[in-house]
Amino acid sequence: MNDKDNQPIVGLDIPAEIGMPLEQVQTPALLIDLDVFEKNVAVLKERLQAAGVRLRAHAKTHKSVDIARYQLEHGGACGICCQKVAEAEIMVDGGIGDVLVSNQVVDAGKIDRLARLARDARILVCVDDAGNVDALSAAALRHGVQLECLVEIDCGAGRCGVLPGDAALELARRIDAARGLKFAGLQAYQGAAQHIREFAARRAAIESAIAQTHATVKMLAATGLECGIVAGAGTGSYGFEAASGLYNEMQCGSYVFMDADYQRVLDADGAPLGEFGNALFIWTSIMSAARPGHAVCDAGLKVMSLDSGLPVIHARDDIEYVNCSDEHGVIADPLNSLQLNDKLKLVPGHCDPTCNLHDWYVGIRDDRVDCLWPVSARGKSL
Amino acid sequence: MNDKDNQPIVGLDIPAEIGMPLEQVQTPALLIDLDVFEKNVAVLKERLQAAGVRLRAHAKTHKSVDIARYQLEHGGACGICCQKVAEAEIMVDGGIGDVLVSNQVVDAGKIDRLARLARDARILVCVDDAGNVDALSAAALRHGVQLECLVEIDCGAGRCGVLPGDAALELARRIDAARGLKFAGLQAYQGAAQHIREFAARRAAIESAIAQTHATVKMLAATGLECGIVAGAGTGSYGFEAASGLYNEMQCGSYVFMDADYQRVLDADGAPLGEFGNALFIWTSIMSAARPGHAVCDAGLKVMSLDSGLPVIHARDDIEYVNCSDEHGVIADPLNSLQLNDKLKLVPGHCDPTCNLHDWYVGIRDDRVDCLWPVSARGKSL
């Protein structure tokens, strides 16, 4: 940053300026195709409104205050989800007034920060431990706030959460009895199902989650504990949960951008899920084309996450990204079509951890830079 | 950052304070075991001095001005390598006076920034294209500086570089004839060999690279072009290049930290390379232990790169990190030994892209925070 005016320096800190033609944007950079992004946001809004369920958009995907605001103002979102207290702090500081930390917060310092945040915003959090309920209650009382708690149940993801049924009931009762806390409902996210490729297998996983969640909601209701919120779902499965008549808050995140892996998830007709388009790209340059048959681009492991595979080159069937190292991508180019400084758009394998590697989104419309949005909570993991 | 004094806020921006006991360091955090780090630096210094070759330490691993300075002051380094112009800018701004961008710089804006940097430091750069030589020359003249150029040859890595032999000679002549440029030697890095597990196969790959480089050096010398620098080698192979009598600048980077993948690279006796120890860890907390048999920690894809596999839990044989998602790690815990807020040290699979995810190194000595070093060039990819 330039000390004088605190403005980022193009080239060192930031890859572009407003109004710049796309062709001049420095590489590697994280691009948003704004038309596709806006359409994705509109499509989900319409579908969830038609189903009569709320959207609590997941900000862990984009970590951007600007995008969170857009989802609230134009995308029908009632609030957002975060995964980390530090993300929530950035979002509340950016004016977002309704945040669910869709995760456990168990460290004493983080619990204190979470309760402090509830002075300025509606704060919800997930719990799966009785001792954690007591600690959250003490912090809420200390700061004179209310924290709304969702009991997280493991309905098939194999990660956090108590078992559905008795364990969930016991925890809900404890929350309900705790001062400073409000029992708000269930977190029942089946994350492992989101990327199941085949439609029937994905539906079966979600139907199992819905059945377990339904039984738990009924059990709680029978003891007088109403679940105001039944939350979960993601981009790969939200259609099932939205139609369940049970879930009422959808936590989709990736839908705003999509990625190469989500494009491999199939609909009932065996075609890729068609409702959302690729809005996120890595803009990259050819930096070496010294030998026939392959070229090298300037986008590697430090600008995209490989956990879900290599990136796909957008709108080019004649070349293929075949190997990735820290700062390089090797591109098979059998027709020797690529020359130095040629530009390509890559669709990253996995959007969330890719965005977390960048400081800026370069928003593109009509091949010009229309906006520059900071990745406000980039690296905020605490 | 706190606006008033520009100090990072513990919890939001930074995981620790100087003097804090390790147990209180917020998670997830990137730790350096300073004793092991210092020993790694000393061991390589001693080995390369014994072999009579220089160290040009690769700063792409750590992206830290503090660590680069330490390598220059205590580690025998004659200078550093960077992969990006933006990294080089950060390093020169931090007082490093001798920087090789061990990569091609072909974009007009980046070439200009590189030449500008040569006003303040000795700057070297790799080339594998004739047109690029002309562009670098023009920029050097424009800024009244000299850029030293290494011809990069592909001696087996299959990435950048011209073929050894005639193509290298042609490019060296062009550099030698170009105003503002100095032909400085060859970049002959066999990156693909660094992680070959088996000793004999790794040695064979490097011997092939050495033979090709040797033939090229001889061919150039026969035309009066002396290679002042013959550069390459990394943590997995430097012993071979250092003993070659040909290579004179070693570009080791990972040796300061090591990682789980480098610990799988074997020495002649079939044991892991023993000279360097693990100095880099992800400090993580158990955030969910709701069901028997497994626990969940707070370190996932956003604090470490999975390109070289899952992390290894340090000094614990009874538990295993078995699954990673964006913000979570699932740990198999058959004996149910883990409780909420227990802390673990993870050895990441691959150090370089893991460091690039963090803003701070927390330096630990005797289980206390001894220093906090910014990851100065974190995210600097332009």
Side-chain angles (χ1 to χ4, degrees), chain B residues 161-186:
Chain B
V162 296
L163 288 178
D166 291 334
L169 173 59
E170 191 180 327
L171 208 51
R173 282 182 166 146
R174 194 173 187 115
I175 295 166
D176 191 52
R179 293 168 60 208
L181 305 186
K182 174 185 173 186
F183 172 69
L186 294 184

Side-chain angles (χ1 to χ4, degrees), chain B residues 231-303:
Chain B
T235 298
S237 76
Y238 74 92
F240 306 123
E241 287 97 338
S244 66
L246 175 73
Y247 283 70
N248 56 19
E249 271 192 21
M250 306 290 120
Q251 300 177 338
C252 307
S254 302
Y255 78 102
V256 294
F257 293 148
M258 297 298 282
D259 56 35
D261 202 66
Y262 259 126
Q263 294 293 9
R264 295 178 197 115
V265 173
L266 305 178
D267 215 335
D269 60 2
L273 289 178
E275 69 260 47
F276 306 120
N278 283 318
L280 188 81
F281 302 95
I282 304 289
W283 181 238
T284 186
S285 298
I286 300 301
M287 49 171 287
S288 173
R291 302 189 313 285
H294 87 277
V296 182
C297 75
D298 63 1
L301 280 172
K302 289 182 184 168
V303 294

Side-chain angles (χ1 to χ4, degrees), chain A residues 323-339:
Chain A
N323 198 11
C324 188
S325 51
D326 286 354
E327 295 89 1
H328 299 90
V330 176
I331 297 179
D333 178 22
L335 303 176
N336 301 312
S337 65
L338 294 171
Q339 303 193 335

Side-chain angles (χ1 to χ4, degrees), chain A residues 11 13 27 60 103 110 128 154 159 161 287-288 291 294 302 325-326 328 341 359 378 380 382, chain B residues 11 13 27 60 103 106 110 128 154 159 161 287-288 291 294 302 325-326 328 341 359 378 380 382:
Chain A
D13 302 311
T27 62
K60 85 186 187 72
N103 213 349
K110 289 174 185 162
D128 70 0
D154 180 359
R159 206 167 65 184
M287 49 170 287
S288 173
R291 302 191 313 287
H294 87 277
K302 289 182 183 168
S325 51
D326 286 354
H328 299 90
N341 286 314
D359 291 303
R378 196 274 324 146
K380 298 297 181 199
L382 296 173
Chain B
D13 302 311
T27 62
K60 84 186 188 76
N103 213 349
V106 300
K110 289 175 185 162
D128 70 0
D154 180 0
R159 208 168 63 183
M287 49 171 287
S288 173
R291 302 189 313 285
H294 87 277
K302 289 182 184 168
S325 50
D326 286 354
H328 300 90
N341 287 313
D359 291 302
R378 196 273 326 145
K380 298 297 182 200
L382 296 175

